[in-house]
Amino acid sequence: MATTERHGFRDIAAKIREEIIDGRYPTGSVLPAEPELADRYGASRSLVNRAMQVLAAEGIVRPRQGRGTMVTWLPPMLHSPARYDRATRENNGARGAFDAEVRARGLEPQHEITTERAEPPADVAEALGLPTGEVNCLVRRRRLLASGIPVRLNASWFPLDIAEGTVLEEDGPVIVGGVKSALAELGHAQTRAREQIIPSRLPTDAEAHALEISPERTVVEITHVGITAEGRAVEVTVSVAPAHYVTAQYEFPLA
């Protein structure tokens, strides 16, 4: 073995965690096989396997069938009003805030997008001022990845009377600046927004599958409503992300 020192599985997990954060094992890379790690740390394969379980529970690594154990560590993305600034969303041709955030970390943003005309849930219909029980919305669903790592699920709802037949119906990442820029180009620029954050809940089975996380990992849910200067709500976006990938920060005046 590379060393005669014996490590406990938590010590091994701490060492690998440190090396991941320091960049020895970059995000999106595959860790050495367990026998190699066991030799490196002077430990048994069973201890290394338990260390991998600890790191997987933290969301730092993720075993993938036939592909080894992938590094999925990401520094938390800062969720703040600044991310919606147009200059940020469109920086260097970015396709929205997420696209810009991921590129700033040296990773490759990927978008899996589907669109459909649909009946909105009751709370979405209420936020948009639409009647319930009607197919009166376009929903744009996105699974967002960073260098192959699922990071966020977005479902954006728009009134069909302003979204029908527009670029919002295209099922690819073709909109520079994201949906807010597209709505502005259509004459529905947003001047304010409100958000509701559920900071910690368990994912649904579908969410856990899409985000490739265990059902025990908590997620954060953010509901964002975009409103025009005329007071019309033109966008409701519901985002779901693993909780360890998001840090919220807000600044506001105090009387």
Side-chain angles (χ1 to χ4, degrees):
M1 290 187 176
T3 176
T4 59
E5 183 181 357
R6 303 297 295 179
H7 295 272
F9 72 93
R10 295 190 187 280
D11 296 324
I12 296 170
K15 182 62 176 175
I16 295 173
R17 185 189 303 110
E18 179 184 342
E19 292 176 334
I20 287 172
I21 293 173
D22 287 346
R24 177 170 183 174
Y25 304 122
T27 301
S29 67
V30 176
L31 287 175
E34 288 185 6
E36 181 179 339
L37 291 173
D39 184 66
R40 176 175 299 171
Y41 298 113
S44 67
R45 286 188 59 182
S46 64
L47 283 179
V48 171
N49 183 265
R50 291 184 70 186
M52 290 296 103
Q53 292 175 31
V54 169
L55 296 174
E58 295 175 0
I60 292 176
V61 302
R62 186 175 301 156
R64 290 190 167 178
Q65 188 67 33
R67 296 176 58 186
T69 300
M70 175 177 283
V71 176
T72 54
W73 179 80
L74 286 171
M77 294 186 182
L78 184 64
H79 187 86
S80 74
R83 74 188 300 270
Y84 298 114
D85 181 75
R86 185 161 190 165
T88 299
R89 291 184 286 106
E90 298 181 357
N91 186 40
N92 292 323
R95 266 65 174 173
F98 174 84
D99 200 270
E101 290 163 345
V102 170
R103 291 187 187 279
R105 286 164 169 75
L107 302 173
E108 182 63 29
Q110 295 149 317
H111 310 247
E112 297 175 358
I113 300 174
T114 62
T115 66
E116 64 174 320
R117 301 174 187 184
E119 176 184 332
D123 57 340
V124 171
E126 180 180 5
L128 291 172
L130 298 173
T132 58
E134 299 179 12
V135 176
N136 52 22
C137 276
L138 173 74
V139 56
R140 186 176 178 87
R141 303 185 192 276
R142 290 162 285 167
R143 188 171 83 129
L144 304 174
L145 303 92
S147 294
I149 301 167
V151 174
R152 187 168 295 201
L153 305 175
N154 281 3
S156 295
W157 298 82
F158 314 100
L160 196 56
D161 66 296
I162 66 174
E164 183 176 11
T166 72
V167 67
L168 292 169
E169 285 202 277
E170 296 192 28
D171 57 0
V174 298
I175 306 172
V176 173
V179 299
K180 292 191 180 304
S181 293
L183 285 165
E185 293 297 322
L186 294 170
H188 303 283
Q190 299 172 31
T191 58
R192 60 188 175 93
R194 66 174 182 266
E195 290 189 340
Q196 175 179 294
I197 300 179
I198 300 175
S200 181
R201 67 166 174 82
L202 292 176
T204 66
D205 289 344
E207 289 167 346
H209 178 75
L211 290 169
E212 299 180 9
I213 58 175
S214 73
E216 292 77 27
R217 296 294 304 173
T218 58
V219 296
V220 59
E221 178 180 307
I222 303 170
T223 299
H224 174 96
V225 181
I227 304 165
T228 67
E230 294 75 31
R232 183 182 184 185
V234 294
E235 172 202 351
V236 174
T237 294
V238 181
S239 301
V240 177
H244 60 287
Y245 284 160
V246 179
T247 296
Q249 176 178 291
Y250 292 93
E251 180 177 327
F252 45 86
L254 295 174

